[in-house]
Amino acid sequence: MSGQDCTPDQPLIRVENLCKIYKLESQANQPIRHQVLFDINLEIRSGEFIAIMGQSGSGKSTLMNILGCLDVPTSGNYWLAGRNVASLSNNELAHVRNCSIGFVFQGFNLLKRITALDNVAIPLLYAGMSRKESRKHALTLLQQTGLGQFTLHYPNQLSGGQQQRVAISRALINQPQLILADEPTGNLDTQTSHEIMTLFKQLNEDQGISIILVTHEDDIASYSNRLIRLKDGRIIQDKNKCVF
Protein backbone atom coordinates (compact mmCIF):
# COMPACT_ATOMS: atom_id res chain seq x y z
CA MET A 1 0.00 0.00 0.00
CA SER A 2 2.92 2.31 0.50
CA GLY A 3 4.41 4.44 -2.25
CA GLN A 4 7.61 3.93 -4.22
CA ASP A 5 10.71 3.71 -2.04
CA CYS A 6 13.76 5.90 -2.49
CA THR A 7 17.16 4.42 -3.20
CA PRO A 8 19.70 5.08 -0.42
CA ASP A 9 21.42 7.91 -2.34
CA GLN A 10 18.20 9.49 -3.59
CA PRO A 11 16.32 12.11 -1.56
CA LEU A 12 12.67 11.56 -0.80
CA ILE A 13 11.97 15.14 -1.92
CA ARG A 14 13.99 17.36 -4.24
CA VAL A 15 12.85 20.85 -5.18
CA GLU A 16 14.70 23.04 -7.67
CA ASN A 17 14.05 26.72 -8.37
CA LEU A 18 10.43 26.40 -7.36
CA CYS A 19 8.25 29.51 -7.67
CA LYS A 20 4.55 30.06 -7.08
CA ILE A 21 2.61 33.00 -8.49
CA TYR A 22 -1.11 33.57 -8.00
CA LYS A 23 -3.01 35.67 -10.51
CA LEU A 24 -5.59 37.88 -8.83
CA GLU A 25 -8.11 40.28 -10.34
CA SER A 26 -8.24 43.91 -9.30
CA GLN A 27 -11.40 45.98 -9.15
CA ALA A 28 -10.65 47.08 -12.71
CA ASN A 29 -10.56 43.38 -13.76
CA GLN A 30 -6.87 43.67 -14.48
CA PRO A 31 -4.79 40.63 -13.47
CA ILE A 32 -2.40 41.14 -10.59
CA ARG A 33 0.53 38.79 -10.11
CA HIS A 34 1.18 37.88 -6.49
CA GLN A 35 4.33 35.84 -6.02
CA VAL A 36 4.28 33.70 -2.89
CA LEU A 37 7.39 31.51 -3.33
CA PHE A 38 10.73 32.54 -4.84
CA ASP A 39 13.36 30.07 -6.13
CA ILE A 40 12.95 27.42 -3.45
CA ASN A 41 15.71 24.79 -3.49
CA LEU A 42 15.38 21.94 -1.05
CA GLU A 43 16.30 18.30 -0.45
CA ILE A 44 14.64 16.11 2.16
CA ARG A 45 15.81 12.59 2.87
CA SER A 46 13.74 9.68 4.05
CA GLY A 47 13.39 9.58 7.83
CA GLU A 48 13.79 13.30 8.49
CA PHE A 49 11.52 15.20 10.86
CA ILE A 50 11.34 18.78 9.62
CA ALA A 51 9.61 21.86 10.98
CA ILE A 52 8.78 24.70 8.60
CA MET A 53 8.33 28.04 10.33
CA GLY A 54 7.55 31.58 9.28
CA GLN A 55 5.20 34.45 9.89
CA SER A 56 1.74 34.52 8.36
CA GLY A 57 2.12 35.10 4.63
CA SER A 58 5.66 33.72 4.47
CA GLY A 59 4.61 30.96 2.07
CA LYS A 60 4.91 27.96 4.38
CA SER A 61 1.39 26.61 3.77
CA THR A 62 1.74 27.17 0.02
CA LEU A 63 4.96 25.17 0.04
CA MET A 64 3.27 22.45 2.08
CA ASN A 65 0.41 22.25 -0.42
CA ILE A 66 2.84 21.86 -3.31
CA LEU A 67 4.83 19.16 -1.49
CA GLY A 68 1.55 17.37 -0.82
CA CYS A 69 0.53 17.50 -4.50
CA LEU A 70 -2.49 19.63 -3.57
CA ASP A 71 -1.17 22.53 -5.65
CA VAL A 72 1.33 22.93 -8.49
CA PRO A 73 4.26 25.34 -8.80
CA THR A 74 4.24 28.09 -11.41
CA SER A 75 7.81 27.19 -12.34
CA GLY A 76 10.61 24.96 -11.13
CA ASN A 77 10.73 21.22 -10.50
CA TYR A 78 9.57 18.91 -7.74
CA TRP A 79 10.61 15.27 -7.48
CA LEU A 80 8.94 12.96 -4.96
CA ALA A 81 10.64 9.57 -4.49
CA GLY A 82 12.43 10.09 -7.80
CA ARG A 83 9.32 10.97 -9.81
CA ASN A 84 8.85 14.37 -11.39
CA VAL A 85 5.49 15.44 -10.02
CA ALA A 86 4.86 17.73 -13.01
CA SER A 87 4.82 14.68 -15.30
CA LEU A 88 2.08 12.87 -13.37
CA SER A 89 -1.53 12.70 -14.55
CA ASN A 90 -4.40 13.73 -12.31
CA ASN A 91 -5.11 10.07 -11.54
CA GLU A 92 -1.45 9.47 -10.67
CA LEU A 93 -1.42 12.53 -8.43
CA ALA A 94 -4.53 11.28 -6.64
CA HIS A 95 -2.82 7.91 -6.13
CA VAL A 96 0.25 9.63 -4.67
CA ARG A 97 -1.90 11.66 -2.27
CA ASN A 98 -3.82 8.58 -1.16
CA CYS A 99 -0.97 6.08 -0.90
CA SER A 100 2.35 7.89 -0.42
CA ILE A 101 1.39 10.90 1.72
CA GLY A 102 -0.56 11.20 4.94
CA PHE A 103 -2.15 14.56 5.77
CA VAL A 104 -2.87 16.00 9.21
CA PHE A 105 -4.56 19.40 9.48
CA GLN A 106 -5.29 21.89 12.24
CA GLY A 107 -9.06 21.37 11.90
CA PHE A 108 -8.87 17.54 12.02
CA ASN A 109 -11.11 17.23 8.88
CA LEU A 110 -13.07 14.29 10.25
CA LEU A 111 -16.47 13.32 8.85
CA LYS A 112 -18.95 14.11 11.62
CA ARG A 113 -21.57 11.50 10.81
CA ILE A 114 -19.35 8.41 10.95
CA THR A 115 -17.39 6.82 13.78
CA ALA A 116 -13.70 7.18 14.51
CA LEU A 117 -13.19 3.68 13.13
CA ASP A 118 -14.81 4.49 9.81
CA ASN A 119 -13.03 7.86 9.56
CA VAL A 120 -9.71 6.03 9.77
CA ALA A 121 -10.79 3.33 7.30
CA ILE A 122 -11.84 5.74 4.54
CA PRO A 123 -8.54 5.82 2.57
CA LEU A 124 -8.49 2.03 2.35
CA LEU A 125 -12.06 2.01 1.07
CA TYR A 126 -11.04 4.51 -1.61
CA ALA A 127 -8.17 2.18 -2.49
CA GLY A 128 -10.62 -0.68 -3.07
CA MET A 129 -10.26 -2.69 0.13
CA SER A 130 -13.36 -4.31 1.60
CA ARG A 131 -15.11 -2.62 4.51
CA LYS A 132 -14.35 -5.54 6.80
CA GLU A 133 -10.62 -5.52 6.07
CA SER A 134 -10.32 -1.74 6.11
CA ARG A 135 -12.00 -1.57 9.53
CA LYS A 136 -9.65 -4.27 10.80
CA HIS A 137 -6.62 -2.19 9.83
CA ALA A 138 -8.25 0.96 11.23
CA LEU A 139 -8.86 -0.76 14.58
CA THR A 140 -5.18 -1.71 14.83
CA LEU A 141 -4.08 1.89 14.25
CA LEU A 142 -6.56 3.34 16.72
CA GLN A 143 -5.28 0.92 19.32
CA GLN A 144 -1.69 1.96 18.56
CA THR A 145 -2.56 5.64 18.98
CA GLY A 146 -4.32 5.05 22.30
CA LEU A 147 -7.92 5.19 21.09
CA GLY A 148 -8.89 1.52 21.16
CA GLN A 149 -11.80 2.22 23.51
CA PHE A 150 -13.17 5.06 21.36
CA THR A 151 -13.52 3.31 18.00
CA LEU A 152 -17.32 3.65 17.84
CA HIS A 153 -17.39 7.24 19.10
CA TYR A 154 -18.35 10.04 16.73
CA PRO A 155 -16.07 13.10 16.39
CA ASN A 156 -18.36 15.28 18.55
CA GLN A 157 -17.97 12.72 21.35
CA LEU A 158 -14.16 13.10 21.35
CA SER A 159 -11.84 15.77 22.74
CA GLY A 160 -9.66 17.82 20.40
CA GLY A 161 -6.63 15.69 21.18
CA GLN A 162 -8.57 12.49 20.56
CA GLN A 163 -9.87 13.84 17.24
CA GLN A 164 -6.31 14.67 16.18
CA ARG A 165 -5.22 11.13 17.07
CA VAL A 166 -8.00 9.84 14.84
CA ALA A 167 -6.72 12.12 12.07
CA ILE A 168 -3.16 10.84 12.58
CA SER A 169 -4.40 7.24 12.48
CA ARG A 170 -6.16 8.02 9.20
CA ALA A 171 -2.97 9.57 7.84
CA LEU A 172 -1.08 6.36 8.67
CA ILE A 173 -3.59 3.87 7.29
CA ASN A 174 -1.93 3.50 3.86
CA GLN A 175 1.57 3.20 5.35
CA PRO A 176 2.78 6.47 3.77
CA GLN A 177 6.39 7.42 3.27
CA LEU A 178 5.62 10.97 4.33
CA ILE A 179 3.29 12.77 6.72
CA LEU A 180 2.52 16.44 6.12
CA ALA A 181 1.12 18.18 9.19
CA ASP A 182 -0.14 21.76 8.83
CA GLU A 183 -0.43 23.42 12.27
CA PRO A 184 -1.62 20.10 13.80
CA THR A 185 -1.64 21.50 17.33
CA GLY A 186 -3.20 24.86 16.49
CA ASN A 187 -6.57 23.98 18.05
CA LEU A 188 -5.17 22.15 21.08
CA ASP A 189 -4.15 23.16 24.60
CA THR A 190 -0.49 23.03 25.62
CA GLN A 191 -0.50 19.63 27.31
CA THR A 192 -2.45 17.96 24.50
CA SER A 193 -0.19 19.62 21.92
CA HIS A 194 2.88 18.04 23.47
CA GLU A 195 1.14 14.66 23.65
CA ILE A 196 0.44 14.87 19.91
CA MET A 197 4.02 15.94 19.18
CA THR A 198 5.36 13.05 21.27
CA LEU A 199 3.27 10.72 19.09
CA PHE A 200 4.76 12.27 15.93
CA LYS A 201 8.25 11.86 17.39
CA GLN A 202 7.60 8.19 18.12
CA LEU A 203 6.30 7.59 14.60
CA ASN A 204 9.43 9.18 13.18
CA GLU A 205 11.91 7.38 15.43
CA ASP A 206 10.22 3.97 15.68
CA GLN A 207 8.80 3.60 12.16
CA GLY A 208 11.10 5.90 10.19
CA ILE A 209 8.22 7.91 8.75
CA SER A 210 9.31 11.24 7.28
CA ILE A 211 7.40 14.15 8.80
CA ILE A 212 7.13 17.72 7.58
CA LEU A 213 5.42 19.99 10.07
CA VAL A 214 4.24 23.57 9.59
CA THR A 215 4.08 25.53 12.83
CA HIS A 216 4.59 29.03 14.21
CA GLU A 217 5.39 27.79 17.73
CA ASP A 218 9.02 27.31 18.79
CA ASP A 219 8.19 24.65 21.39
CA ILE A 220 6.37 22.57 18.78
CA ALA A 221 9.21 22.97 16.27
CA SER A 222 11.66 21.77 18.93
CA TYR A 223 10.45 18.19 18.40
CA SER A 224 11.89 18.20 14.88
CA ASN A 225 15.44 17.38 13.81
CA ARG A 226 15.67 20.09 11.16
CA LEU A 227 14.29 23.60 10.99
CA ILE A 228 13.46 25.44 7.77
CA ARG A 229 12.44 29.06 8.17
CA LEU A 230 10.68 31.06 5.44
CA LYS A 231 10.36 34.82 5.08
CA ASP A 232 8.57 36.57 2.22
CA GLY A 233 8.54 33.38 0.16
CA ARG A 234 12.23 32.59 0.53
CA ILE A 235 14.18 30.13 2.67
CA ILE A 236 16.24 32.19 5.10
CA GLN A 237 17.33 29.35 7.38
CA ASP A 238 17.83 25.62 6.94
CA LYS A 239 19.38 24.14 10.06
CA ASN A 240 20.01 20.51 10.97
CA LYS A 241 19.86 19.65 14.65
CA CYS A 242 21.58 16.30 14.11
CA VAL A 243 23.40 14.39 11.41
CA PHE A 244 21.33 12.09 9.19
Side-chain angles (χ1 to χ4, degrees), residues 1-2 98-99 101-102 117 119-125 127 129 133-142 166-176 179 209:
M1 289 183 291
S2 60
N98 194 46
C99 296
I101 304 173
L117 186 66
N119 264 286
V120 175
I122 281 176
L124 292 182
L125 292 171
M129 185 177 289
E133 282 299 306
S134 63
R135 294 184 98 200
K136 180 180 177 181
H137 287 287
L139 175 60
T140 298
L141 277 172
L142 285 170
V166 174
I168 292 170
S169 299
R170 181 183 58 194
L172 294 169
I173 195 69
N174 271 326
Q175 299 176 332
I179 288 181
I209 297 174

Side-chain angles (χ1 to χ4, degrees), residues 192-206:
T192 305
S193 295
H194 287 287
E195 290 173 357
I196 292 299
M197 292 310 301
T198 297
L199 176 58
F200 277 126
K201 191 74 172 176
Q202 290 171 345
L203 292 170
N204 175 252
E205 293 179 349
D206 297 344

